[in-house]
Amino acid sequence: MSLSQMIIIPIILSIFTYLITKKIKSAGPIINIILSGYILYTIVNIYGKWDILSQSLNINIMGNNFNFILNNSPLAWLLGIMTVGSVFLISIFSVSSQKNVKYTASFSFLFSILMGSILGVVFAGDLMTLFIFWELMTWSSFFLISSGKKEGAKKASYRYLILSTIGAYLMVTSIFIIFNQINTLEFTEVANYLQSIPTLNSIILIVMMGIPFLIKAGVFPLHIWVNGAHSNAPKEFSPFLSGLMLKIGTYGLMLLLYLVPLYNILDSSIKFRGLPVFNYILALFGGITIITGTILAIRQEDVKKLIAFSSISQMGYIVMALAITTPLGFAGGLLHLMNHMIFKTTIFLTMAAVIYRTNTTKMSEMGGLIFRMPVTFAAYLTAIIALAGIPPTNGFISKWVIYQALIQKGYIFLSVAAFFGSIGSFMYVFKPLSTVFLGQLKPIHRDIKEVPILMQIPMYILMALMVLFGVLPGIQMNIINQIAQYLNIETVQSTLYTITGAYGAWNSLIIFNVFVGGFLIALIIFVFAKKSKLVGLMDTYTSGEYMDDPEAYHYAYKYYRPFDRIFDSFAAKSLTRAYDTFAQNITKLGNLFNKGIVTGNGQTYAFYMILLIVILAFAGWMI
Amino acid sequence: MILITILEFLLIAIFAMALGLLFMGIARKVVARTQKRIGPPFYQPYLDVLKLFGKDAITHGFIFDFGAIMAFGGMIATLFFVPIGGIYLYSMSGTLLLVIYLMAIAYLGMAMATVGSGNPLASVGISRALTQMLGYEMPFIVVLLTLIYSSGTSSIVGIMQAQQGGLMNWNLVNVPLGTVVAFIALLGLMGKKPFDAPIAPSEIASGPVVEHGGKYLGLIMLQHSVSIVVKTALFVNLFFGGASNILFFLLKMLIVWLLATLIGSVFPRFKVEEGVLFYWKWPLIGALIQAVIIIF
């Protein structure tokens, strides 16, 4: 299977998937499992074959020679395997979970197109190919989001589309400006061109190309589409949206920051602690993203919204780490990119499982599911330990590397933002744990069972990955160092279970040992003490009150009210509302324009046409 | 070889538990004296723990058990990375940040166990504890980052060694503002008054421990004792220059602990959001000023 086949086959096959799934309901996910499984196998096999699999297609359009290139680089390979892997896992999950869903056929159809187009984006070797598949990705994900069951799905997907379109216009403009100058769009040629022109011009071009990537990555102040889209998308698509689609935005940023060495372009500009101010501002935006996401995540009562805001805040880490362009920052950003994909996919999948059983996303309407859904609980627990960055899981290692990168340069304000997000994450990940899984079981949920085995399998796989990468980060560091070499960045020293940072080294083997040691001592004391008697959850200390209603006895609504009170005024200033006001003003302006010009009189329009012809003739004569 | 390691593990754990319980006893005596009471004998916590492990206990399901074990195990695991005098098991070169996050395992275990009991008072306590954590950790971590930057290492032993050679090299003298800030953060870290809203006995019936009895309360007491040792030892290592002699080290730990106890015994309680806002005001500003002085 060549690179182009990997991209084209899912896109073409999707039509057949659609037709078959219309007839047989469970066929769609199964076809996607087989397809993504086979592509996964192929991608694993092309590991290490950098640059030798490249393909190109030459098309002549109106005298312009477009060269479409596909290329296999370590970075593309990493994102490719992440894409196909998560499509594979989510398809396994969907077989059972989509039994009662209306749009199974279109879901499988669009999901297949989406996989092909993302592979197209990451394996693209020139800007034109990247742009074409980028648009295909935007549109297929737009339809996927809008097929969500909830009320807000339409509005959320519309907002997503508007922002993406703005991004697309900027991107296509910059692409044609560049093409006009150098007649080629190959990445290395573009990079050379951007380094040869004056700094200001190249910065403008880079910002124009970067904004679509920042929109996709959900960086403040362009994050407004993220929470609506994530919370309203179909429950099987949210894991992919958060785990992978956001990362494609950072892939674009990596191209701009490292493949086009932005650092070289800005080398002569003003610097702050050895970092060009442009980069520092980008990192600062990452920091603001972390803080905003964290504060808003803590306030949410809807579990999918909570996780969506947490995704925004975690993307801030990746953007910040990549923006500071040190070897440690690059490694930390990439590590967090991989780890975030793993644990965020897990969290969204476990929540999809909970929603599948309870049919609600409100946290206050659930509770005490731990005894009914233990596997889901275990997966969620592992994932939040990783997200909160607690050893011995993978999440801590990536955060540790990012902190090392921040301290190394003494960026104290960025560090404050990073730590705020990290400790705030304890708060927001504990909220679903406490209100959904722990506490009192609702009487209506008494007969709930664990989800079917096919929905559990992806959770087991992801749990294993989190612990594996927590103990052996060298597996990830190996590919990261290859990417770094490919992009001419210094590599970070590492072995299978150690990473050397700026101020000290990481050794996960020792930590694992100590953790097991501590746990065993506690276990021994516990086991040798007197055996205890099991009583029910309602049999608790109530200060003498008699309680018989578990529903009223569950503390879930407004869990962090004292904390939220601090930020009430901050949260009231919604950025979305600011954008809405802006849009309303534009509409008003347009209406004003309408009044004078759109008269409804045929003669006026005829006059406009004549005027247009005159202007065109004049313009043609001038040129 | 492995046997010796296991023996070391056990000895250090037992030593820390005994030391922590002794500190708890001393604190009870000191608090009683400041309030013009006689107070229990200093060995009372030992008797309490022994009594608790002999009593019958109730459990609310496996998460209640698992959480208790996780809380205690996580705290002991943290202990192995904090040097006490000349004694330390592992001195990896990146331990300082690790210790902060390892302690979180204990908190998470504790939180799971208590919320798993199904008592809303416990949930309120945990929600307050986590909120307050975001308060005190911010200034604390800024100070820690400053220390890491100025000492050029993120290992606790390394920072301790960088302060050798008399009082003038201690971070207490070099980073005075940071020391004060870290001490205020330490009060919150140990749940001392005025930052004891999470356990507030008169409001939420001791919050997190409301459902714990028998061996569970015993485990929580042991966990608390180890956490006292971890936190005071960490503070002594970072700001008081540590010590190679175990007796000197214990003396310094006792001074820090007594200071925290005395301050805690005279203050009333902050409401939880007031506590958080307090931490984000003066301590955070102080920590940032200190950081700017050291780094720029």
Side-chain angles (χ1 to χ4, degrees):
Chain A
M1 216 180 199
S2 68
L3 290 177
S4 58
Q5 281 168 342
M6 260 193 296
I7 297 160
I8 300 297
I9 288 177
I11 296 177
I12 294 177
L13 201 68
S14 63
I15 301 162
F16 297 102
T17 315
Y18 180 74
L19 293 174
I20 296 170
T21 319
K22 272 280 177 195
K23 291 267 176 282
I24 313 160
K25 208 148 189 221
S26 56
I30 292 173
I31 295 175
N32 278 350
I33 294 174
I34 297 166
L35 182 67
S36 56
Y38 183 63
I39 296 180
L40 193 65
Y41 171 76
T42 322
I43 291 191
V44 169
N45 275 336
I46 61 169
Y47 172 76
K49 296 175 183 160
W50 317 136
D51 289 335
I52 50 174
L53 289 171
S54 70
Q55 291 175 309
S56 64
L57 175 70
N58 228 321
I59 294 179
N60 214 318
I61 305 168
M62 302 201 319
N64 290 317
N65 196 16
F66 282 101
N67 200 11
F68 296 95
I69 303 166
L70 292 174
N71 190 18
N72 182 24
S73 73
L75 185 58
W77 182 85
L78 175 68
L79 278 144
I81 200 166
M82 279 165 62
T83 313
V84 182
S86 65
V87 170
F88 182 66
L89 291 177
I90 291 169
S91 298
I92 295 177
F93 188 87
S94 312
V95 174
S96 299
S97 78
Q98 287 209 324
K99 274 199 178 127
N100 309 320
V101 179
K102 208 172 157 192
Y103 303 113
T104 318
S106 54
F107 181 87
S108 306
F109 164 70
L110 290 164
F111 208 35
S112 184
I113 295 185
L114 188 60
M115 175 169 75
S117 55
I118 291 183
L119 286 177
V121 169
V122 297
F123 285 116
D126 67 306
L127 282 174
M128 202 59 202
T129 319
L130 182 103
F131 178 72
I132 291 170
F133 286 113
W134 184 271
E135 280 306 287
L136 192 59
M137 175 181 90
T138 304
W139 282 93
S140 46
S141 53
F142 162 71
F143 286 117
L144 270 170
I145 294 167
S146 59
S147 71
K149 207 163 53 173
K150 285 181 149 187
E151 288 283 298
K154 247 178 225 163
K155 203 176 170 194
S157 54
Y158 190 59
R159 191 176 287 158
Y160 168 65
L161 189 68
I162 297 275
L163 272 174
S164 300
T165 313
I166 295 172
Y169 275 126
L170 288 172
M171 193 160 153
V172 81
T173 314
S174 60
I175 286 176
F176 280 112
I177 291 172
I178 293 170
F179 187 74
N180 197 18
Q181 296 292 324
I182 53 172
N183 264 318
T184 173
L185 287 169
E186 207 193 329
F187 285 152
T188 43
E189 300 284 331
V190 172
N192 291 336
Y193 167 70
L194 287 172
Q195 287 180 66
S196 66
I197 58 176
T199 313
L200 190 66
N201 293 5
S202 63
I203 286 183
I204 291 172
L205 281 176
I206 283 173
V207 168
M208 278 166 79
M209 271 192 280
I211 282 179
F213 300 141
L214 288 175
I215 290 173
K216 272 284 185 309
V219 173
F220 181 91
L222 304 168
H223 66 276
I224 53 160
W225 67 274
V226 179
N227 86 77
H230 283 61
S231 56
N232 291 306
K235 59 183 185 299
E236 294 84 5
F237 184 56
S238 302
F240 192 77
L241 195 56
S242 168
L244 216 103
M245 294 276 294
L246 295 175
K247 312 295 183 300
I248 302 300
T250 47
Y251 167 73
L253 278 185
M254 263 184 271
L255 290 184
L256 287 182
L257 290 169
Y258 295 95
L259 194 65
V260 179
L262 191 60
Y263 202 81
N264 290 352
I265 295 176
L266 299 167
D267 210 25
S268 55
S269 68
I270 316 162
K271 286 184 178 176
F272 175 76
R273 298 194 69 76
L275 187 70
V277 171
F278 185 79
N279 279 33
Y280 189 79
I281 289 172
L282 188 60
L284 216 54
F285 271 120
I288 297 172
T289 313
I290 295 175
I291 292 178
T292 325
T294 307
I295 291 173
L296 292 177
I298 292 170
R299 300 179 70 85
Q300 300 307 315
E301 295 299 330
D302 182 305
V303 67
K304 279 176 92 177
K305 270 196 184 145
L306 185 147
I307 310 168
F309 276 116
S310 121
S311 299
I312 294 178
S313 113
Q314 299 293 320
M315 289 310 289
Y317 281 94
I318 301 175
V319 171
M320 183 196 270
L322 290 176
I324 56 178
T325 53
T326 58
L328 271 175
F330 180 74
L334 265 180
L335 267 177
H336 204 63
L337 189 142
M338 283 187 245
N339 293 337
H340 181 249
M341 179 230 150
I342 296 169
F343 58 64
K344 200 42 76 66
T345 309
T346 318
I347 291 182
F348 264 119
L349 281 182
T350 53
M351 282 307 140
V354 169
I355 294 164
Y356 174 72
R357 283 301 191 206
T358 59
N359 285 321
T360 175
T361 55
K362 288 262 182 311
M363 278 184 279
S364 50
E365 289 170 8
M366 304 184 235
L369 294 177
I370 172 173
F371 299 109
R372 296 290 179 273
M373 308 171 81
V375 177
T376 313
F377 169 76
Y380 182 76
L381 181 65
T382 323
I384 65 162
I385 289 177
L387 192 153
I390 298 174
T393 50
N394 58 0
F396 181 65
I397 299 173
S398 46
K399 279 194 183 156
W400 186 84
V401 177
I402 292 176
Y403 295 149
Q404 292 285 336
L406 290 173
I407 306 168
Q408 185 188 22
K409 290 293 189 85
Y411 300 132
I412 202 79
F413 297 104
L414 295 180
S415 316
V416 170
F419 274 103
F420 184 87
S422 170
I423 295 158
S425 69
F426 293 156
M427 287 176 75
Y428 63 70
V429 296
F430 192 73
K431 195 171 173 180
L433 184 81
S434 156
T435 54
V436 174
F437 290 107
L438 301 176
Q440 305 289 348
L441 185 68
K442 296 255 182 308
I444 47 164
H445 294 153
R446 207 156 271 164
D447 301 324
I448 281 184
K449 287 197 191 69
E450 181 59 90
V451 288
I453 183 76
L454 276 177
M455 288 166 79
Q456 293 176 26
I457 289 172
M459 295 184 203
Y460 283 119
I461 295 174
L462 288 163
M463 265 196 277
L465 281 179
M466 279 184 275
V467 178
L468 176 72
F469 290 146
V471 182
L472 303 173
I475 303 170
Q476 292 169 304
M477 287 309 291
N478 180 21
I479 179 80
I480 288 175
N481 283 341
Q482 289 193 42
I483 295 172
Q485 272 169 3
Y486 190 84
L487 296 174
N488 289 324
I489 308 166
E490 272 179 70
T491 53
V492 174
Q493 271 184 23
S494 67
T495 64
L496 195 55
Y497 47 83
T498 61
I499 298 175
T500 311
Y503 293 127
W506 168 266
N507 188 334
S508 44
L509 211 60
I510 290 182
I511 289 159
F512 199 71
N513 276 348
V514 167
F515 194 68
V516 170
F519 205 78
L520 278 181
I521 290 177
L523 192 67
I524 289 166
I525 293 180
F526 184 83
V527 168
F528 280 98
K530 236 175 168 179
K531 222 170 147 22
S532 50
K533 197 178 100 194
L534 182 70
V535 297
L537 285 178
M538 287 302 287
D539 196 357
T540 52
Y541 170 77
T542 56
S543 321
E545 292 282 332
Y546 176 69
M547 294 300 299
D548 61 346
D549 180 15
E551 203 151 348
Y553 200 46
H554 181 49
Y555 179 71
Y557 189 63
K558 305 233 175 206
Y559 201 82
Y560 295 113
R561 190 64 198 124
F563 182 81
D564 293 345
R565 233 175 277 149
I566 302 175
F567 289 105
D568 270 348
S569 57
F570 169 82
K573 289 191 193 75
S574 155
L575 194 63
T576 320
R577 216 171 295 148
Y579 282 123
D580 280 347
T581 323
F582 179 69
Q584 275 165 13
N585 289 336
I586 294 279
T587 321
K588 266 185 203 160
L589 205 71
N591 286 339
L592 218 65
F593 182 73
N594 263 353
K595 261 179 208 159
I597 294 174
V598 186
T599 54
N601 185 346
Q603 283 184 343
T604 326
Y605 296 134
F607 171 70
Y608 291 153
M609 277 168 83
I610 293 166
L611 199 67
L612 182 71
I613 290 167
V614 170
I615 290 172
L616 283 179
F618 183 69
W621 175 67
M622 284 290 284
I623 294 164
Chain B
M1 186 58 210
I2 294 173
L3 212 64
I4 292 172
T5 316
I6 293 173
L7 210 64
E8 276 178 333
F9 266 53
L10 277 176
L11 275 178
I12 290 187
I14 291 169
F15 173 69
M17 282 183 241
L19 186 66
L21 289 176
L22 179 68
F23 273 23
M24 278 160 83
I26 292 172
R28 286 178 74 169
K29 194 85 187 166
V30 169
V31 171
R33 298 310 295 160
T34 54
Q35 295 168 346
K36 291 195 177 170
R37 289 185 285 119
I38 293 174
F42 73 91
Y43 52 81
Q44 184 65 37
Y46 295 103
L47 302 179
D48 285 349
V49 168
L50 283 178
K51 176 191 74 185
L52 285 169
F53 273 101
K55 285 214 165 201
D56 287 333
I58 53 162
T59 171
H60 292 277
F62 71 86
I63 198 67
F64 194 70
D65 301 354
F66 177 74
I69 298 170
M70 187 169 155
F72 188 45
M75 201 41 95
I76 290 183
T78 319
L79 174 74
F80 295 138
F81 286 107
V82 181
I84 299 173
I87 308 169
Y88 51 86
L89 261 188
Y90 288 111
S91 163
M92 237 171 60
S93 43
T95 39
L96 186 48
L97 292 174
L98 175 71
V99 163
I100 301 298
Y101 277 89
L102 267 176
M103 270 193 248
I105 293 183
Y107 299 147
L108 184 67
M110 177 91 183
M112 270 195 329
T114 53
V115 176
S117 71
N119 194 324
L121 292 173
S123 299
V124 175
I126 292 299
S127 122
R128 288 182 179 190
L130 288 173
T131 308
Q132 190 162 293
M133 191 170 165
L134 192 52
Y136 61 72
E137 290 279 10
M138 295 313 296
F140 192 52
I141 275 186
V142 174
V143 174
L144 294 191
L145 293 185
T146 317
L147 282 190
I148 293 175
Y149 189 84
S150 70
S151 316
T153 170
S154 65
S155 112
I156 300 175
V157 179
I159 292 177
M160 192 179 89
Q161 280 161 354
Q163 304 174 56
Q164 268 174 358
L167 184 71
M168 289 318 288
N169 287 345
W170 289 7
N171 281 332
L172 178 68
V173 179
N174 289 330
V175 197
L177 201 56
T179 311
V180 174
V181 170
F183 186 75
I184 299 173
L186 189 73
L187 289 178
L189 201 63
M190 296 200 293
K192 286 276 174 204
K193 273 178 183 161
F195 307 107
D196 70 336
I199 48 165
S202 49
E203 296 169 36
I204 49 172
S206 298
V209 293
V210 60
E211 283 301 314
H212 287 72
K215 65 175 173 182
Y216 297 95
L217 192 57
L219 274 179
I220 296 288
M221 268 186 83
L222 287 181
Q223 187 244 358
H224 188 58
S225 68
V226 175
S227 86
I228 289 171
V229 172
V230 167
K231 287 162 189 170
T232 46
L234 189 65
F235 195 81
V236 168
N237 279 320
L238 293 182
F239 299 100
F240 284 59
S244 50
N245 188 336
I246 181 87
L247 280 178
F248 273 120
F249 194 84
L250 291 185
L251 192 68
K252 285 178 184 175
M253 273 169 78
L254 189 64
I255 290 171
V256 173
W257 173 243
L258 280 181
L259 216 59
T261 309
L262 283 174
I263 290 177
S265 66
V266 294
F267 273 106
R269 185 156 56 228
F270 266 129
K271 255 163 76 180
V272 62
E273 70 254 44
E274 283 171 355
V276 171
L277 282 179
F278 169 78
Y279 272 121
W280 287 351
K281 216 173 184 180
W282 299 117
L284 189 58
I285 291 172
L288 285 175
I289 291 172
Q290 184 71 72
V292 168
I293 291 172
I294 296 279
I295 291 174
F296 288 95

